[in-house]
Structures are given as structure tokens and as C-alpha cells.
């Protein structure tokens, strides 16, 4: 009995997806809940598991094809047994003729195989050919691209042997997620009257508080570590309550004021920048925030952040400081009207009470949409965050 394998049900905000990677090929055995294919949307990559044990009978949507919600991707024959490996090995070379082979280094490669390897970012030197005379076929490249070890290699920069004086270029298609990121960033710059205001914060009070209580905090909250981001989220939450314009969004000619604070935290992953959202931050304590952010980071690395995690958000915080950025201008995440940029903590000489002292300082940047937020409010919002962080007891006392 053939079972239809369908694309996931996409939410309203996701119109379509792209078949990214097939982990199985027709004729191969599959197990229940084993991942068959990855579907890349403009937000996340969704994994489609096998519903039954059996054999992948037919693929109906190839890698690179655009698919709709619940579209049939393949057929699995329930309870069937895969063909013997010898029979598969005999059939594989027929996909390409040895006369059509190209020579790449010391390898003989079918043209289709060379093209597919370039698209997947695979090094042909690491692929064993099964064709006539050891020729690498398209099927060899597909199998290499679906293997876990090969996937890890594809994520790393491809090592290319370059002869002296040879100029190499590599062209690869932009992923759907990267296309969406590019489109949204350009849209933000074209539609918003974006300005950025800067300030700096003395991180010594937060650093001393963290140093004093981090071990007790971790023990008290079952291994959750106390970082800096939770202080920034709590400070931003309080500032958003005081300046509701910064927490609002623009919908056409309407202003939408949000009576809650859902803060997106930018997470860098191998597939691109994602902004999962912390919901109802006003009701979260420091441990709740740190635990949720740690979970976002773990799932981001594993490619398991869901679409629901990325929906909504009334404000965003991005931390370029983890990569060494001293100062930058963050871009607003539409339809939000403001974003806070954190940066590297760096010791600098500061004049305090007539004395020059060395303090760990961080530059803060607030980019905002001037259509919605006046400059005065933007500056005071950022000053509020600075004051709360330089006296963190105010965050806990709500003063």
C-alpha cells in the first residue's frame, strides 16, 4: 500500500516552501519517524518524517522545487523491503555515459554530477564514483549530499585546489531564507524613516551582581546560567511600558499599540539570522528569560526553531558584541518600529566624580522609525535602559 508523504501545513504567513534536501532516494528503506526530506520556507527549515516503515517508492517533488502547503512530495510503500545493494549498484552507472564524462582533477565526473556538486557545495575529491571506470554520477553526488558526514562537510568552506594564477569563482543559489532576509532588510530601509540614537552603559554594576550570584543562581534554577541578555530584556520591557510608542507597530495608516511586550532576540544560525520571540516578558523572571534564550540557541543550532517561535514580536534586541562589534546600526524588523543593538564590552577610561577610572563600557544603539517615534522619546527610551542597567536593583524593584 502506497502512503502519500505531504508537505507540512504552512501557517498563513508562509505561502510556499522549497524542497531543500532528500535524505532518502527511491528504493531505499525508511523507518517510521525517520526524516525523509527538509522543506525550506522563508522563516525556518521544516523536517518531514516517514509515517510508516517501508520503502521510498517515488519522489514527486525534487530538490529545488517549490511546493505548497500539504502538497504530496513522495510515495512510501508500507511494509516493503528495499532491493539488494548489488542490484542498486548495477543500476546506478546507467544514469550517465562514460563518453560524456568530464575530468576534474584526477576524477572523471558526469556533467550533471559536477553541476549538482557545485550547487550543494560538495568537494568531488571526497566522493567515490560508482560509474564505469570509477566515474562520479549524479546519484553518487545525491547520496553524498544526503549522508550526515557529507552534510557537515558541505556546511564548511569548500577547499578548492587552485593552480598558480588561476582565478576561481563559485556561483550557488541563494536559499529561500536568505532571499527573505535580504528582501525584508531592503524593505525596512525603503519604507521606514529610520534613525539611530546612541548611548553607552557602564556594565560594572551588572557584572558585579552577576559575579556575586551566578553560582547560586545556576544552582537555584537547575543549571540555568545567568547571562547579560536577561538584564537587557528586563530593562527593555520596563522601558517599553514607559514609552508605548516604541512598543507599537504601523499597519497601513493605523498605529497598533500593544498591551504586552513580546521581545525578539536575534540568533545567528548556519542557515541565517533568526529572531525567535520571548512572549509576555513582563511576566518572566531572569531565569525564565535565560532558560528560554538557551533553548532558542540550542534549537537554532539543530535547525529545530519552529515557525510559531518566530511569529509576532513587538520589539527586537540584537547582540553584535558576541562577534566583537564595537558599534553598529541595527536595522528595524518590520512591522516593529524599533530595535536595540548591544555591543562589545570594553574597558575605557571614564571621568566619574572628577576622577578618571577604568570601567567596562558598552555602546548601545536604538534604531527607530521616525514616522512613529519622536526623537525625544527614542533618546529617553535609551536613557531609561541605561539607567536601569547601571542600577539593576531598579529592575527588581520596578522603580
Amino acid at each position: 500500500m502506497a502512503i502519500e508523504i505531504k508537505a507540512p501545513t504552512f501557517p498563513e504567513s508562509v505561502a510556499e516552501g522549497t524542497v531543500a534536501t532528500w535524505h532518502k532516494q527511491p528504493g531505499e528503506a525508511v523507518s517510521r519517524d525517520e526524516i525523509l526530506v527538509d522543506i525550506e520556507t522563508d522563516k525556518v527549515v521544516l523536517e518531514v518524517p516517514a509515517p510508516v516503515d517501508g520503502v521510498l517508492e517515488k519522489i514527486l517533488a525534487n530538490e529545488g522545487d517549490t511546493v505548497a502547503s500539504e502538497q504530496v512530495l513522495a510515495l512510501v510503500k508500507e511494509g516493503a523491503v528495499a532491493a539488494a545493494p548489488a542490484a542498486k549498484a548495477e543500476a546506478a552507472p546507467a544514469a550517465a555515459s562514460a563518453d560524456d564524462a568530464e575530468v576534474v582533477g584526477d576524477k572523471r565526473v558526469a556533467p550533471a554530477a559536477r553541476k549538482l556538486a557545485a550547487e550543494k557545495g560538495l568537494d568531488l575529491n571526497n566522493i567515490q564514483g560508482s560509474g564505469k571506470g570509477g566515474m562520479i554520477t549524479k546519484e553518487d553526488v545525491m547520496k553524498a549530499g544526503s549522508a550526515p558526514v557529507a552534510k557537515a562537510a558541505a556546511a564548511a568552506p569548500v577547499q578548492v585546489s587552485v593552480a598558480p594564477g588561476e582565478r576561481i569563482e563559485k556561483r550557488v543559489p541563494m536559499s529561500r531564507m536568505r532571499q527573505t532576509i535580504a528582501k525584508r532588510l531592503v524593505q525596512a530601509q525603503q519604507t521606514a524613516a529610520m534613525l539611530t540614537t546612541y548611548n553607552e552603559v557602564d556594565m560594572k554594576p551588572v557584572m558585579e551582581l552577576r559575579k556575586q550570584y551566578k553560582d547560586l543562581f545556576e544552582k537555584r534554577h537547575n543549571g540555568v546560567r545567568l547571562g547579560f541578555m536577561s538584564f537587557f530584556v528586563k530593562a527593555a520591557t520596563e522601558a517599553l511600558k514607559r514609552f508605548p510608542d516604541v512598543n507599537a507597530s504601523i499597519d497601513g495608516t493605523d498605529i497598533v499599540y500593544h498591551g504586552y511586550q513580546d521581545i525578539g532576540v536575534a540568533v545567528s544560525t548556519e542557515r541565517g539570522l533568526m529572531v525567535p520571540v520571548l512572549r509576555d516578558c513582563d511576566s518572566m523572571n531572569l531565569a525564565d528569560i535565560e532558560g528560554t534564550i538557551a533553548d532558542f540557541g540550542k534549537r537554532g543550532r539543530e535547525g529545530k526553531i519552529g515557525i510559531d517561535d518566530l511569529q509576532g514580536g513587538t520589539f527586537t534586541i540584537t547582540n553584535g558584541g558576541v562577534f566583537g562589534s564595537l558599534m553598529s546600526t541595527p536595522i528595524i524588523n518590520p512591522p516593529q518600529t524599533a530595535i536595540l543593538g548591544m555591543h562589545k564590552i570594553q574597558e575605557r577610561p571614564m571621568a566619574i566624580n572628577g576622577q578618571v577610572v577604568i570601567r567596562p563600557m558598552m555602546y548601545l544603539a536604538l534604531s527607530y522609525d521616525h514616522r512613529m517615534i519622536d526623537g525625544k522619546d527614542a533618546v529617553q527610551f535609551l536613557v531609561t535602559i541605561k539607567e536601569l542597567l547601571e542600577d539593576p536593583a531598579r529592575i527588581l524593584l520596578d522603580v
Side-chain angles (χ1 to χ4, degrees), residues 6-21 37-48 64-71 73 174-184 269 271-274 303-311:
K6 296 183 178 181
T9 302
F10 301 149
E12 292 182 3
S13 60
V14 177
E16 58 189 15
T18 300
V19 179
T21 306
V37 60
D38 295 335
I39 305 296
E40 185 179 75
T41 72
D42 57 5
K43 294 181 179 292
V44 294
V45 174
L46 304 173
E47 297 176 334
V48 180
D65 288 355
T66 298
V67 295
S69 180
E70 299 187 7
Q71 179 176 328
L73 306 174
M174 188 181 290
S175 70
R176 177 179 289 271
M177 186 180 299
R178 177 57 61 185
Q179 291 178 46
T180 301
I181 291 172
K183 182 174 69 175
R184 288 176 64 86
T269 72
R271 293 189 174 104
L273 186 70
M274 295 184 178
K304 296 186 181 299
I305 289 182
I307 291 178
D308 290 343
D309 297 321
L310 306 173
Q311 301 280 41

Coordinates of all heavy atoms in Angstrom, one line a residue, residues 6-21 37-48 64-71 73 174-184 269 271-274 303-311:
K6 N 3.3 14.2 2.5 CA 2.9 15.5 2.2 C 3.8 16.6 2.9 O 4.3 16.3 4.0 CB 1.4 15.7 2.6 CG 0.4 14.9 1.8 CD -1.0 15.2 2.2 CE -2.0 14.4 1.5 NZ -3.4 14.7 1.8
A7 N 3.8 17.7 2.3 CA 4.5 18.9 2.9 C 3.7 19.3 4.2 O 2.5 19.0 4.3 CB 4.6 20.1 2.0
P8 N 4.4 19.9 5.2 CA 3.7 20.3 6.4 C 2.6 21.4 6.0 O 2.6 22.0 5.0 CB 4.8 20.9 7.2 CG 6.0 20.4 6.7 CD 5.8 20.2 5.2
T9 N 1.7 21.6 7.0 CA 0.7 22.6 6.8 C 1.4 23.9 7.2 O 1.8 24.2 8.3 CB -0.5 22.4 7.8 OG1 -1.1 21.1 7.4 CG2 -1.6 23.5 7.6
F10 N 1.5 24.8 6.2 CA 2.2 26.1 6.5 C 1.2 27.1 7.1 O 0.0 27.1 6.7 CB 2.7 26.7 5.1 CG 3.7 25.9 4.4 CD1 3.7 25.9 3.0 CD2 4.5 25.0 5.1 CE1 4.6 25.1 2.3 CE2 5.4 24.2 4.4 CZ 5.5 24.3 3.0
P11 N 1.7 27.9 8.0 CA 0.8 29.0 8.5 C 0.5 30.0 7.5 O 1.1 30.1 6.4 CB 1.6 29.6 9.7 CG 3.0 29.3 9.3 CD 3.0 28.0 8.6
E12 N -0.5 30.9 7.8 CA -0.9 31.9 6.8 C 0.2 32.8 6.3 O 0.2 33.3 5.2 CB -2.1 32.8 7.4 CG -3.3 32.0 7.6 CD -4.4 32.9 8.2 OE1 -4.2 34.1 8.3 OE2 -5.5 32.4 8.5
S13 N 1.2 33.1 7.2 CA 2.3 34.0 6.8 C 3.3 33.3 5.9 O 4.2 34.0 5.4 CB 3.0 34.5 8.1 OG 3.5 33.4 8.8
V14 N 3.2 32.0 5.7 CA 4.1 31.3 4.8 C 3.4 30.8 3.6 O 2.5 29.9 3.7 CB 4.8 30.1 5.5 CG1 5.7 29.4 4.6 CG2 5.6 30.7 6.7
A15 N 3.7 31.3 2.4 CA 2.9 31.0 1.2 C 3.4 29.7 0.6 O 2.5 28.9 0.1 CB 3.0 32.1 0.2
E16 N 4.7 29.4 0.6 CA 5.2 28.2 0.0 C 6.5 27.9 0.6 O 7.1 28.6 1.4 CB 5.3 28.5 -1.5 CG 6.2 29.6 -1.9 CD 6.1 30.0 -3.3 OE1 5.2 29.6 -4.0 OE2 7.0 30.8 -3.8
G17 N 7.1 26.7 0.1 CA 8.4 26.3 0.6 C 9.2 25.7 -0.6 O 8.7 25.6 -1.7
T18 N 10.4 25.4 -0.3 CA 11.3 24.8 -1.3 C 11.9 23.5 -0.8 O 12.3 23.4 0.4 CB 12.5 25.8 -1.7 OG1 11.9 27.0 -2.2 CG2 13.4 25.2 -2.7
V19 N 11.9 22.5 -1.6 CA 12.5 21.2 -1.2 C 14.0 21.4 -1.2 O 14.6 21.7 -2.2 CB 12.1 20.1 -2.3 CG1 12.8 18.8 -1.8 CG2 10.6 19.9 -2.4
A20 N 14.5 21.3 0.1 CA 15.9 21.5 0.3 C 16.8 20.3 0.1 O 17.7 20.3 -0.7 CB 16.2 22.1 1.7
T21 N 16.5 19.2 0.8 CA 17.3 18.0 0.8 C 16.5 16.8 1.0 O 15.7 16.7 1.9 CB 18.4 18.1 1.9 OG1 19.2 19.3 1.8 CG2 19.3 16.9 1.8
V37 N 12.8 14.3 4.2 CA 13.1 15.5 3.4 C 13.0 16.8 4.3 O 12.3 16.8 5.2 CB 12.1 15.6 2.2 CG1 10.7 15.7 2.7 CG2 12.5 16.7 1.3
D38 N 13.8 17.7 3.9 CA 13.8 19.1 4.5 C 13.1 20.0 3.6 O 13.4 20.1 2.4 CB 15.2 19.6 4.8 CG 15.9 18.7 5.9 OD1 15.2 18.1 6.7 OD2 17.2 18.7 5.9
I39 N 12.1 20.8 4.1 CA 11.4 21.8 3.3 C 11.9 23.2 3.9 O 11.6 23.5 5.1 CB 9.9 21.7 3.4 CG1 9.5 20.3 3.0 CG2 9.2 22.7 2.6 CD1 9.8 20.0 1.6
E40 N 12.5 24.0 3.1 CA 12.9 25.3 3.5 C 11.9 26.4 3.2 O 11.4 26.5 2.0 CB 14.2 25.7 2.8 CG 14.8 27.0 3.3 CD 16.1 27.3 2.6 OE1 16.1 27.7 1.4 OE2 17.2 27.1 3.2
T41 N 11.4 27.1 4.2 CA 10.5 28.2 4.0 C 11.3 29.5 4.2 O 12.5 29.5 4.4 CB 9.3 28.1 5.0 OG1 9.8 28.5 6.3 CG2 8.7 26.7 5.0
D42 N 10.6 30.6 4.1 CA 11.3 31.9 4.3 C 11.5 32.2 5.7 O 12.1 33.2 6.0 CB 10.5 33.0 3.6 CG 9.1 33.1 4.1 OD1 8.7 32.4 5.1 OD2 8.3 34.0 3.6
K43 N 11.1 31.3 6.6 CA 11.4 31.5 8.1 C 12.2 30.4 8.7 O 13.2 30.7 9.4 CB 10.0 31.6 8.8 CG 9.2 32.8 8.4 CD 7.9 32.8 9.3 CE 7.0 34.0 8.9 NZ 7.6 35.3 9.4
V44 N 11.9 29.2 8.4 CA 12.6 28.0 9.0 C 12.7 26.9 8.0 O 12.0 26.9 7.0 CB 11.9 27.5 10.3 CG1 11.9 28.6 11.4 CG2 10.5 27.1 10.0
V45 N 13.5 25.9 8.4 CA 13.5 24.6 7.7 C 12.7 23.6 8.4 O 13.0 23.3 9.6 CB 15.0 24.2 7.5 CG1 15.0 22.8 6.8 CG2 15.8 25.2 6.7
L46 N 11.7 23.0 7.7 CA 10.8 22.0 8.3 C 11.2 20.6 7.9 O 11.6 20.4 6.7 CB 9.4 22.3 7.9 CG 8.9 23.7 8.2 CD1 7.5 23.9 7.6 CD2 8.8 23.9 9.7
E47 N 11.2 19.7 8.9 CA 11.6 18.3 8.6 C 10.3 17.5 8.4 O 9.4 17.6 9.2 CB 12.4 17.7 9.7 CG 13.8 18.5 9.9 CD 14.6 17.9 11.1 OE1 13.9 17.4 12.0 OE2 15.8 18.0 11.1
V48 N 10.3 16.6 7.4 CA 9.2 15.8 7.1 C 9.6 14.3 7.4 O 10.4 13.8 6.7 CB 8.7 15.9 5.7 CG1 7.5 15.0 5.4 CG2 8.4 17.4 5.3
G64 N 14.9 21.6 -4.9 CA 14.8 22.9 -5.6 C 13.4 23.2 -6.0 O 13.2 24.4 -6.4
D65 N 12.5 22.3 -6.0 CA 11.1 22.5 -6.5 C 10.4 23.3 -5.4 O 10.6 23.2 -4.2 CB 10.4 21.2 -6.7 CG 10.8 20.5 -8.0 OD1 11.7 21.1 -8.7 OD2 10.4 19.4 -8.2
T66 N 9.5 24.2 -5.8 CA 8.6 25.0 -4.9 C 7.4 24.2 -4.7 O 6.8 23.6 -5.6 CB 8.3 26.3 -5.6 OG1 9.5 27.1 -5.8 CG2 7.3 27.1 -4.6
V67 N 7.0 24.0 -3.4 CA 5.9 23.2 -3.0 C 4.9 24.1 -2.2 O 5.3 25.0 -1.4 CB 6.3 22.0 -2.3 CG1 7.1 21.0 -3.2 CG2 7.1 22.3 -1.0
A68 N 3.6 23.7 -2.2 CA 2.6 24.4 -1.4 C 2.3 23.6 -0.2 O 2.8 22.5 0.0 CB 1.3 24.5 -2.3
S69 N 1.5 24.2 0.7 CA 1.1 23.5 1.9 C 0.4 22.2 1.6 O -0.5 22.2 0.8 CB 0.2 24.5 2.8 OG -0.2 23.9 4.0
E70 N 0.8 21.2 2.3 CA 0.2 19.8 2.2 C 0.3 19.2 0.8 O -0.5 18.3 0.4 CB -1.3 19.9 2.7 CG -1.4 20.3 4.1 CD -2.9 20.2 4.6 OE1 -3.7 19.6 3.9 OE2 -3.1 20.6 5.7
Q71 N 1.2 19.7 0.0 CA 1.4 19.1 -1.4 C 2.1 17.8 -1.2 O 2.9 17.6 -0.3 CB 2.3 20.0 -2.2 CG 2.6 19.5 -3.6 CD 3.3 20.5 -4.5 OE1 3.2 21.7 -4.3 NE2 4.2 19.9 -5.3
L73 N 4.6 15.0 -1.7 CA 6.1 15.1 -2.0 C 6.6 13.8 -2.5 O 7.5 13.7 -3.4 CB 6.9 15.5 -0.8 CG 6.5 16.8 -0.1 CD1 7.3 17.0 1.2 CD2 6.6 18.0 -1.0
M174 N 20.9 31.3 -3.9 CA 20.6 31.9 -2.6 C 19.4 31.1 -2.0 O 18.5 30.8 -2.7 CB 20.2 33.4 -2.7 CG 20.1 34.1 -1.4 SD 19.6 35.9 -1.6 CE 21.1 36.5 -2.3
S175 N 19.6 30.7 -0.7 CA 18.5 30.0 -0.1 C 17.3 30.9 0.1 O 17.3 32.1 0.0 CB 18.9 29.5 1.3 OG 19.1 30.6 2.2
R176 N 16.1 30.2 0.2 CA 14.9 30.9 0.4 C 14.9 31.8 1.6 O 14.4 33.0 1.6 CB 13.7 30.0 0.5 CG 12.3 30.6 0.7 CD 11.3 29.6 0.7 NE 11.0 29.0 -0.6 CZ 10.1 29.5 -1.4 NH1 9.5 30.6 -1.2 NH2 10.0 28.9 -2.6
M177 N 15.5 31.3 2.7 CA 15.6 32.1 3.9 C 16.5 33.4 3.7 O 16.1 34.5 4.1 CB 16.1 31.3 5.1 CG 16.1 32.0 6.4 SD 16.8 31.0 7.7 CE 15.6 29.6 7.7
R178 N 17.6 33.2 3.0 CA 18.5 34.3 2.7 C 17.8 35.3 1.8 O 17.9 36.6 2.0 CB 19.8 33.8 2.1 CG 20.8 34.9 1.7 CD 21.1 35.8 2.9 NE 21.8 35.1 4.0 CZ 22.1 35.7 5.1 NH1 21.8 36.9 5.3 NH2 22.7 35.0 6.1
Q179 N 17.0 34.9 0.8 CA 16.3 35.8 0.0 C 15.3 36.6 0.8 O 15.1 37.8 0.6 CB 15.5 35.0 -1.1 CG 16.4 34.3 -2.1 CD 15.6 33.5 -3.1 OE1 14.6 34.0 -3.6 NE2 16.0 32.3 -3.4
T180 N 14.6 35.9 1.7 CA 13.6 36.6 2.5 C 14.3 37.7 3.5 O 13.8 38.8 3.6 CB 12.8 35.6 3.4 OG1 12.2 34.7 2.5 CG2 11.8 36.3 4.2
I181 N 15.4 37.3 4.1 CA 16.2 38.2 4.9 C 16.6 39.5 4.1 O 16.4 40.6 4.5 CB 17.4 37.5 5.5 CG1 17.0 36.5 6.5 CG2 18.3 38.6 6.2 CD1 18.1 35.6 7.0
A182 N 17.1 39.2 2.9 CA 17.5 40.3 2.1 C 16.3 41.2 1.7 O 16.4 42.5 1.8 CB 18.2 39.8 0.8
K183 N 15.2 40.6 1.3 CA 14.0 41.4 0.9 C 13.5 42.2 2.1 O 13.2 43.4 1.9 CB 12.9 40.4 0.4 CG 11.7 41.2 0.0 CD 10.7 40.2 -0.7 CE 10.1 39.2 0.4 NZ 9.1 38.3 -0.2
R184 N 13.5 41.6 3.3 CA 12.9 42.4 4.5 C 13.8 43.5 4.9 O 13.4 44.6 5.3 CB 12.7 41.4 5.6 CG 11.5 40.5 5.4 CD 11.4 39.4 6.5 NE 11.1 40.1 7.8 CZ 9.9 40.4 8.2 NH1 8.8 40.1 7.4 NH2 9.7 40.9 9.4
T269 N 22.4 31.5 13.1 CA 22.5 30.1 12.8 C 23.2 29.9 11.5 O 23.5 30.8 10.7 CB 21.1 29.4 12.7 OG1 20.4 29.9 11.5 CG2 20.2 29.9 13.9
R271 N 22.0 28.7 8.9 CA 21.1 29.0 7.8 C 20.8 30.5 7.7 O 20.1 30.9 6.8 CB 19.8 28.2 8.0 CG 20.0 26.7 7.8 CD 18.6 26.0 7.8 NE 18.7 24.6 7.5 CZ 18.6 23.6 8.4 NH1 18.4 23.9 9.6 NH2 18.7 22.3 8.0
G272 N 21.2 31.2 8.6 CA 21.0 32.7 8.6 C 20.5 33.2 9.9 O 20.4 32.5 10.9
L273 N 20.1 34.5 9.9 CA 19.7 35.1 11.2 C 18.2 34.8 11.4 O 17.4 34.9 10.6 CB 19.9 36.6 11.0 CG 19.5 37.4 12.3 CD1 20.6 37.2 13.4 CD2 19.5 38.9 12.0
M274 N 17.9 34.3 12.7 CA 16.6 34.1 13.1 C 16.3 35.0 14.3 O 17.2 35.3 15.1 CB 16.3 32.6 13.4 CG 16.5 31.7 12.3 SD 16.1 30.0 12.8 CE 16.3 29.1 11.2
G303 N 18.6 23.4 14.0 CA 17.6 23.6 12.9 C 16.2 23.3 13.3 O 15.4 22.9 12.5
K304 N 15.9 23.4 14.6 CA 14.6 23.0 15.1 C 13.7 24.1 15.7 O 12.8 23.9 16.4 CB 14.8 21.9 16.2 CG 15.4 20.6 15.7 CD 15.4 19.6 16.8 CE 16.1 18.3 16.3 NZ 15.4 17.7 15.1
I305 N 14.1 25.4 15.4 CA 13.2 26.5 15.7 C 12.0 26.5 14.8 O 12.1 26.4 13.6 CB 14.0 27.8 15.6 CG1 15.0 28.0 16.7 CG2 13.0 29.0 15.7 CD1 15.8 29.3 16.7
G306 N 10.8 26.5 15.4 CA 9.6 26.4 14.7 C 9.1 27.7 14.2 O 9.5 28.8 14.7
I307 N 8.2 27.7 13.3 CA 7.6 28.9 12.7 C 6.9 29.7 13.8 O 7.0 30.9 13.9 CB 6.6 28.6 11.6 CG1 7.4 28.1 10.4 CG2 5.8 29.8 11.2 CD1 6.5 27.7 9.2
D308 N 6.2 29.0 14.7 CA 5.5 29.7 15.8 C 6.4 30.5 16.7 O 6.0 31.5 17.3 CB 4.7 28.7 16.7 CG 3.5 28.1 15.9 OD1 3.1 28.6 14.9 OD2 3.1 27.0 16.4
D309 N 7.7 30.0 16.8 CA 8.7 30.7 17.7 C 9.0 32.1 17.0 O 9.5 33.0 17.8 CB 9.9 29.9 17.8 CG 9.7 28.6 18.5 OD1 8.9 28.6 19.5 OD2 10.3 27.6 18.1
L310 N 8.9 32.2 15.7 CA 9.3 33.4 15.0 C 8.2 34.4 14.7 O 8.4 35.5 14.2 CB 10.0 33.0 13.7 CG 11.1 32.0 13.8 CD1 11.5 31.6 12.4 CD2 12.3 32.6 14.6
Q311 N 6.9 34.0 15.0 CA 5.8 34.9 14.7 C 5.7 36.0 15.7 O 5.9 35.9 16.9 CB 4.5 34.1 14.7 CG 4.5 32.9 13.7 CD 4.2 33.3 12.3 OE1 4.7 34.3 11.9 NE2 3.4 32.5 11.6

